[in-house]
Amino acid sequence: HKFTVAVRDGNGNTTSATYSVSVNELPLQVTITSDRNTTVEEGVAVTLTANATGGFGGYEYRFTETYEGVSTTKQVYSSDNTYTFTAGDTGEYKYTVAVKDSEGQAMSASYTMKVVTNNGLQGIDVSAYQGTIDWKQVKNSGVDFAMIRVLTGKMGALSVDSQFYNNIKNAKQNGIKVGVYRYGYAMTVEEAQREANMVVEALKNSGCSLDFPVAYDVEDEATQGTLSKQELVNVINAFRDVIEANGYEFMIYGNLNWLNNKIPMEEFKDVDVWIARYRDYTPNLGHGYTGYGNVTIWQYSDRGSVPGISGYVDMNIGYYNY
């Protein structure tokens, strides 16, 4: 903006001077936060808050919910920058806040949360240690899902679990949802990529689709337990990148000590977590983990007994119906 002042005296003499000022527009921005974690149980009250800055003021906010591919406006444009609701059916929800200022500029931001069940799904995890499993009996006993070991062996002797193809095929045929896991030994990015690529190859060879994620079991003291935190982050991300690049969901498995003290979970805030913690070998006391990540499975016992399986089997509660 250029301002000019002209002056004249009583005799009609004139002169002028100018002053220039630059006004920079502050871009319109908006953030959205929640008073809950990114994972909440059914029936819990949630308040989302949007905060706009920049632009020309006079902000108005609109909140939209997207669930199972359907978007619904939950709160039309108004000066109210909060939206409170009760978490509904299980699943992933995306909330988008659109904001506009007094000059019509618009901006948006999104927040994603998972709603998990109060009751929990009944799950097991199995490997060749369980031998040949009668999956029909397992299904009839009330098991909803199974996490199946896909690879066995350390880095020098990687192979597909001897029961993997039987387990994933017969579990699926009997209506049990499946995910898989790899107990990690990788100590470098290259080794983690090799583990993940072998997982992907085995999954493709099985001809079966996954319902639950691919879990990376991070707890081996002799190998990954000797890495620095940054080295461990790099290894986990290398495994994760390969899994996700091939269209599968990724999750981290760890016990409470590793999740709290060894894995830098602040680097994995958006990752689903499968926690192992045996308290009274029942799910009654809760898993007790309050750190970063979304706990969607809790392994609460390694002493379970399920019809169709000889010997002990690990028992799990699933909080999220993938």
Side-chain angles (χ1 to χ4, degrees), residues 117-158:
T117 179
N118 294 313
N119 300 321
L121 305 169
Q122 300 301 311
I124 57 175
D125 58 272
V126 299
S127 69
Y129 289 118
Q130 278 70 46
T132 302
I133 296 173
D134 185 333
W135 286 99
K136 184 176 181 180
Q137 285 193 56
V138 173
K139 175 63 176 177
N140 291 339
S141 73
V143 169
D144 299 301
F145 71 95
M147 299 297 290
I148 300 170
R149 187 173 73 173
V150 56
L151 297 184
T152 185
K154 297 184 179 181
M155 296 310 303
L158 283 175

Short mmCIF file of all heavy atoms in Angstrom, two decimals, residues 117-158:
data_model
loop_
_atom_site.label_atom_id
_atom_site.label_comp_id
_atom_site.label_asym_id
_atom_site.label_seq_id
_atom_site.Cartn_x
_atom_site.Cartn_y
_atom_site.Cartn_z
N THR A 117 -14.28 -52.76 20.25
CA THR A 117 -15.39 -53.37 20.98
C THR A 117 -15.10 -53.44 22.47
O THR A 117 -13.95 -53.59 22.89
CB THR A 117 -15.68 -54.78 20.44
OG1 THR A 117 -16.75 -55.37 21.18
CG2 THR A 117 -14.45 -55.67 20.54
N ASN A 118 -16.15 -53.36 23.27
CA ASN A 118 -16.03 -53.54 24.71
C ASN A 118 -15.86 -55.01 25.07
O ASN A 118 -15.13 -55.36 26.00
CB ASN A 118 -17.27 -53.00 25.43
CG ASN A 118 -17.41 -51.50 25.30
OD1 ASN A 118 -16.46 -50.78 25.49
ND2 ASN A 118 -18.60 -51.04 24.98
N ASN A 119 -16.53 -55.87 24.33
CA ASN A 119 -16.59 -57.28 24.68
C ASN A 119 -15.33 -58.03 24.25
O ASN A 119 -14.87 -58.93 24.93
CB ASN A 119 -17.82 -57.93 24.05
CG ASN A 119 -19.10 -57.29 24.53
OD1 ASN A 119 -19.22 -56.94 25.70
ND2 ASN A 119 -20.06 -57.12 23.64
N GLY A 120 -14.78 -57.69 23.11
CA GLY A 120 -13.57 -58.34 22.64
C GLY A 120 -13.85 -59.57 21.79
O GLY A 120 -14.82 -60.30 22.01
N LEU A 121 -12.99 -59.77 20.81
CA LEU A 121 -13.04 -60.95 19.97
C LEU A 121 -12.11 -62.01 20.55
O LEU A 121 -11.06 -61.68 21.10
CB LEU A 121 -12.60 -60.61 18.54
CG LEU A 121 -13.37 -59.47 17.85
CD1 LEU A 121 -12.66 -59.07 16.57
CD2 LEU A 121 -14.79 -59.90 17.55
N GLN A 122 -12.48 -63.26 20.41
CA GLN A 122 -11.67 -64.35 20.93
C GLN A 122 -10.65 -64.78 19.89
O GLN A 122 -11.02 -65.09 18.75
CB GLN A 122 -12.55 -65.53 21.33
CG GLN A 122 -13.58 -65.21 22.39
CD GLN A 122 -12.95 -64.71 23.68
OE1 GLN A 122 -12.01 -65.32 24.21
NE2 GLN A 122 -13.46 -63.59 24.20
N GLY A 123 -9.37 -64.78 20.28
CA GLY A 123 -8.34 -65.12 19.32
C GLY A 123 -7.27 -66.03 19.88
O GLY A 123 -7.10 -66.16 21.10
N ILE A 124 -6.53 -66.67 18.98
CA ILE A 124 -5.39 -67.50 19.34
C ILE A 124 -4.23 -67.13 18.42
O ILE A 124 -4.43 -66.49 17.39
CB ILE A 124 -5.70 -69.00 19.20
CG1 ILE A 124 -6.15 -69.33 17.77
CG2 ILE A 124 -6.77 -69.43 20.21
CD1 ILE A 124 -6.35 -70.81 17.50
N ASP A 125 -3.02 -67.53 18.80
CA ASP A 125 -1.91 -67.47 17.85
C ASP A 125 -1.21 -68.82 17.86
O ASP A 125 -1.04 -69.44 18.91
CB ASP A 125 -0.95 -66.31 18.13
CG ASP A 125 -0.34 -66.32 19.50
OD1 ASP A 125 -0.96 -65.76 20.43
OD2 ASP A 125 0.76 -66.88 19.65
N VAL A 126 -0.84 -69.29 16.65
CA VAL A 126 -0.37 -70.66 16.50
C VAL A 126 0.85 -70.72 15.59
O VAL A 126 1.12 -69.81 14.81
CB VAL A 126 -1.48 -71.57 15.94
CG1 VAL A 126 -2.68 -71.62 16.87
CG2 VAL A 126 -1.91 -71.10 14.55
N SER A 127 1.54 -71.85 15.70
CA SER A 127 2.70 -72.13 14.84
C SER A 127 2.81 -73.64 14.72
O SER A 127 1.92 -74.39 15.15
CB SER A 127 3.96 -71.54 15.45
OG SER A 127 4.31 -72.26 16.63
N ALA A 128 3.93 -74.10 14.17
CA ALA A 128 4.16 -75.53 14.04
C ALA A 128 4.19 -76.23 15.39
O ALA A 128 3.98 -77.46 15.47
CB ALA A 128 5.46 -75.78 13.29
N TYR A 129 4.41 -75.48 16.48
CA TYR A 129 4.43 -76.09 17.81
C TYR A 129 3.10 -76.75 18.15
O TYR A 129 3.05 -77.68 18.95
CB TYR A 129 4.76 -75.04 18.87
CG TYR A 129 6.19 -74.57 18.85
CD1 TYR A 129 6.50 -73.24 18.59
CD2 TYR A 129 7.24 -75.45 19.08
CE1 TYR A 129 7.81 -72.80 18.56
CE2 TYR A 129 8.56 -75.02 19.06
CZ TYR A 129 8.84 -73.69 18.79
OH TYR A 129 10.15 -73.26 18.77
N GLN A 130 2.01 -76.25 17.58
CA GLN A 130 0.69 -76.82 17.86
C GLN A 130 0.38 -78.04 16.98
O GLN A 130 -0.69 -78.63 17.11
CB GLN A 130 -0.41 -75.77 17.67
CG GLN A 130 -0.61 -74.85 18.87
CD GLN A 130 0.53 -73.88 19.08
OE1 GLN A 130 1.02 -73.24 18.14
NE2 GLN A 130 0.99 -73.75 20.31
N GLY A 131 1.30 -78.39 16.09
CA GLY A 131 1.08 -79.55 15.24
C GLY A 131 -0.08 -79.35 14.27
O GLY A 131 -0.36 -78.23 13.84
N THR A 132 -0.75 -80.44 13.94
CA THR A 132 -1.90 -80.38 13.03
C THR A 132 -3.14 -79.99 13.82
O THR A 132 -3.51 -80.66 14.80
CB THR A 132 -2.13 -81.73 12.34
OG1 THR A 132 -0.94 -82.09 11.61
CG2 THR A 132 -3.30 -81.65 11.36
N ILE A 133 -3.78 -78.94 13.40
CA ILE A 133 -4.92 -78.36 14.13
C ILE A 133 -6.23 -78.74 13.44
O ILE A 133 -6.33 -78.71 12.20
CB ILE A 133 -4.79 -76.83 14.21
CG1 ILE A 133 -3.56 -76.45 15.03
CG2 ILE A 133 -6.05 -76.19 14.80
CD1 ILE A 133 -3.25 -74.96 15.02
N ASP A 134 -7.22 -79.09 14.23
CA ASP A 134 -8.58 -79.32 13.72
C ASP A 134 -9.31 -77.98 13.77
O ASP A 134 -9.88 -77.60 14.80
CB ASP A 134 -9.30 -80.37 14.56
CG ASP A 134 -10.67 -80.75 14.00
OD1 ASP A 134 -11.28 -79.90 13.30
OD2 ASP A 134 -11.12 -81.87 14.26
N TRP A 135 -9.28 -77.26 12.66
CA TRP A 135 -9.80 -75.90 12.65
C TRP A 135 -11.32 -75.84 12.76
O TRP A 135 -11.87 -74.84 13.21
CB TRP A 135 -9.32 -75.16 11.41
CG TRP A 135 -7.87 -74.78 11.53
CD1 TRP A 135 -6.79 -75.42 11.00
CD2 TRP A 135 -7.35 -73.65 12.26
NE1 TRP A 135 -5.62 -74.78 11.35
CE2 TRP A 135 -5.93 -73.70 12.12
CE3 TRP A 135 -7.92 -72.64 13.00
CZ2 TRP A 135 -5.10 -72.75 12.71
CZ3 TRP A 135 -7.10 -71.69 13.60
CH2 TRP A 135 -5.71 -71.75 13.45
N LYS A 136 -12.00 -76.90 12.40
CA LYS A 136 -13.46 -76.93 12.57
C LYS A 136 -13.81 -76.91 14.05
O LYS A 136 -14.70 -76.17 14.49
CB LYS A 136 -14.06 -78.16 11.89
CG LYS A 136 -15.57 -78.20 11.95
CD LYS A 136 -16.14 -79.39 11.17
CE LYS A 136 -17.67 -79.40 11.22
NZ LYS A 136 -18.21 -80.55 10.45
N GLN A 137 -13.09 -77.73 14.83
CA GLN A 137 -13.32 -77.71 16.28
C GLN A 137 -12.96 -76.35 16.87
O GLN A 137 -13.64 -75.86 17.78
CB GLN A 137 -12.50 -78.81 16.96
CG GLN A 137 -13.02 -80.22 16.78
CD GLN A 137 -12.34 -81.17 17.73
OE1 GLN A 137 -12.36 -80.98 18.95
NE2 GLN A 137 -11.72 -82.21 17.18
N VAL A 138 -11.87 -75.76 16.39
CA VAL A 138 -11.46 -74.45 16.88
C VAL A 138 -12.57 -73.43 16.66
O VAL A 138 -12.92 -72.65 17.55
CB VAL A 138 -10.15 -74.00 16.21
CG1 VAL A 138 -9.82 -72.55 16.58
CG2 VAL A 138 -9.00 -74.92 16.60
N LYS A 139 -13.12 -73.42 15.45
CA LYS A 139 -14.21 -72.49 15.13
C LYS A 139 -15.42 -72.74 16.01
O LYS A 139 -16.02 -71.80 16.55
CB LYS A 139 -14.58 -72.62 13.65
CG LYS A 139 -15.79 -71.77 13.24
CD LYS A 139 -15.51 -70.27 13.41
CE LYS A 139 -16.69 -69.45 12.91
NZ LYS A 139 -16.47 -68.00 13.13
N ASN A 140 -15.77 -74.00 16.19
CA ASN A 140 -16.95 -74.33 16.99
C ASN A 140 -16.78 -73.97 18.46
O ASN A 140 -17.75 -73.82 19.19
CB ASN A 140 -17.29 -75.81 16.86
CG ASN A 140 -17.81 -76.16 15.48
OD1 ASN A 140 -18.29 -75.30 14.74
ND2 ASN A 140 -17.71 -77.43 15.10
N SER A 141 -15.52 -73.81 18.90
CA SER A 141 -15.27 -73.45 20.30
C SER A 141 -15.47 -71.96 20.56
O SER A 141 -15.41 -71.52 21.71
CB SER A 141 -13.85 -73.85 20.69
OG SER A 141 -12.90 -72.98 20.09
N GLY A 142 -15.67 -71.18 19.49
CA GLY A 142 -15.91 -69.75 19.67
C GLY A 142 -14.76 -68.85 19.30
O GLY A 142 -14.81 -67.64 19.55
N VAL A 143 -13.70 -69.39 18.70
CA VAL A 143 -12.57 -68.57 18.29
C VAL A 143 -12.94 -67.75 17.06
O VAL A 143 -13.45 -68.29 16.07
CB VAL A 143 -11.33 -69.45 18.00
CG1 VAL A 143 -10.23 -68.64 17.32
CG2 VAL A 143 -10.81 -70.06 19.31
N ASP A 144 -12.66 -66.45 17.13
CA ASP A 144 -13.01 -65.53 16.03
C ASP A 144 -11.85 -65.30 15.07
O ASP A 144 -12.07 -65.09 13.88
CB ASP A 144 -13.44 -64.17 16.60
CG ASP A 144 -14.66 -64.28 17.50
OD1 ASP A 144 -15.71 -64.74 17.02
OD2 ASP A 144 -14.56 -63.89 18.68
N PHE A 145 -10.61 -65.29 15.60
CA PHE A 145 -9.47 -64.98 14.74
C PHE A 145 -8.23 -65.73 15.21
O PHE A 145 -8.15 -66.18 16.36
CB PHE A 145 -9.18 -63.47 14.71
CG PHE A 145 -8.61 -62.90 15.98
CD1 PHE A 145 -7.23 -62.75 16.15
CD2 PHE A 145 -9.44 -62.50 17.02
CE1 PHE A 145 -6.70 -62.22 17.31
CE2 PHE A 145 -8.91 -61.97 18.20
CZ PHE A 145 -7.54 -61.84 18.34
N ALA A 146 -7.27 -65.85 14.29
CA ALA A 146 -6.02 -66.53 14.60
C ALA A 146 -4.87 -65.76 13.97
O ALA A 146 -4.94 -65.36 12.80
CB ALA A 146 -6.03 -67.96 14.08
N MET A 147 -3.82 -65.54 14.75
CA MET A 147 -2.58 -64.99 14.24
C MET A 147 -1.64 -66.17 14.02
O MET A 147 -1.35 -66.93 14.95
CB MET A 147 -1.99 -63.99 15.22
CG MET A 147 -2.89 -62.80 15.50
SD MET A 147 -3.21 -61.77 14.04
CE MET A 147 -1.59 -61.01 13.80
N ILE A 148 -1.17 -66.35 12.80
CA ILE A 148 -0.46 -67.56 12.39
C ILE A 148 1.00 -67.22 12.09
O ILE A 148 1.27 -66.27 11.34
CB ILE A 148 -1.14 -68.17 11.15
CG1 ILE A 148 -2.59 -68.53 11.49
CG2 ILE A 148 -0.37 -69.40 10.66
CD1 ILE A 148 -3.42 -68.93 10.27
N ARG A 149 1.92 -68.01 12.64
CA ARG A 149 3.34 -67.79 12.34
C ARG A 149 3.59 -68.14 10.88
O ARG A 149 3.24 -69.23 10.42
CB ARG A 149 4.24 -68.61 13.25
CG ARG A 149 5.72 -68.25 13.06
CD ARG A 149 6.61 -68.94 14.07
NE ARG A 149 6.77 -70.36 13.79
CZ ARG A 149 7.62 -71.16 14.45
NH1 ARG A 149 8.35 -70.67 15.45
NH2 ARG A 149 7.71 -72.43 14.14
N VAL A 150 4.25 -67.23 10.18
CA VAL A 150 4.48 -67.44 8.75
C VAL A 150 5.91 -67.88 8.48
O VAL A 150 6.13 -68.73 7.60
CB VAL A 150 4.12 -66.15 7.96
CG1 VAL A 150 4.87 -64.94 8.45
CG2 VAL A 150 4.35 -66.34 6.48
N LEU A 151 6.89 -67.35 9.21
CA LEU A 151 8.28 -67.72 9.02
C LEU A 151 8.86 -68.25 10.31
O LEU A 151 8.42 -67.89 11.41
CB LEU A 151 9.13 -66.52 8.58
CG LEU A 151 8.84 -65.84 7.25
CD1 LEU A 151 9.88 -64.75 7.01
CD2 LEU A 151 8.82 -66.83 6.10
N THR A 152 9.88 -69.08 10.18
CA THR A 152 10.63 -69.55 11.33
C THR A 152 12.12 -69.44 11.01
O THR A 152 12.50 -69.30 9.85
CB THR A 152 10.26 -70.99 11.70
OG1 THR A 152 10.93 -71.37 12.90
CG2 THR A 152 10.65 -71.96 10.58
N GLY A 153 12.95 -69.49 12.04
CA GLY A 153 14.38 -69.50 11.83
C GLY A 153 15.03 -68.14 11.94
O GLY A 153 14.40 -67.10 11.71
N LYS A 154 16.33 -68.16 12.28
CA LYS A 154 17.11 -66.94 12.33
C LYS A 154 17.55 -66.54 10.93
O LYS A 154 17.23 -67.23 9.95
CB LYS A 154 18.29 -67.12 13.28
CG LYS A 154 17.85 -67.38 14.72
CD LYS A 154 19.02 -67.48 15.68
CE LYS A 154 18.53 -67.70 17.10
NZ LYS A 154 19.65 -67.78 18.07
N MET A 155 18.30 -65.46 10.84
CA MET A 155 18.60 -64.90 9.52
C MET A 155 19.37 -65.87 8.61
O MET A 155 19.21 -65.84 7.40
CB MET A 155 19.37 -63.59 9.67
CG MET A 155 18.58 -62.49 10.35
SD MET A 155 16.92 -62.22 9.68
CE MET A 155 17.26 -61.88 7.96
N GLY A 156 20.15 -66.74 9.18
CA GLY A 156 20.91 -67.67 8.35
C GLY A 156 20.14 -68.90 7.94
O GLY A 156 20.65 -69.72 7.17
N ALA A 157 18.91 -69.05 8.46
CA ALA A 157 18.13 -70.26 8.17
C ALA A 157 16.65 -69.96 8.09
O ALA A 157 15.81 -70.64 8.68
CB ALA A 157 18.41 -71.32 9.24
N LEU A 158 16.28 -68.92 7.34
CA LEU A 158 14.88 -68.54 7.20
C LEU A 158 14.11 -69.58 6.39
O LEU A 158 14.58 -70.04 5.35
CB LEU A 158 14.77 -67.19 6.50
CG LEU A 158 15.07 -65.94 7.33
CD1 LEU A 158 15.02 -64.71 6.44
CD2 LEU A 158 14.09 -65.80 8.47
#
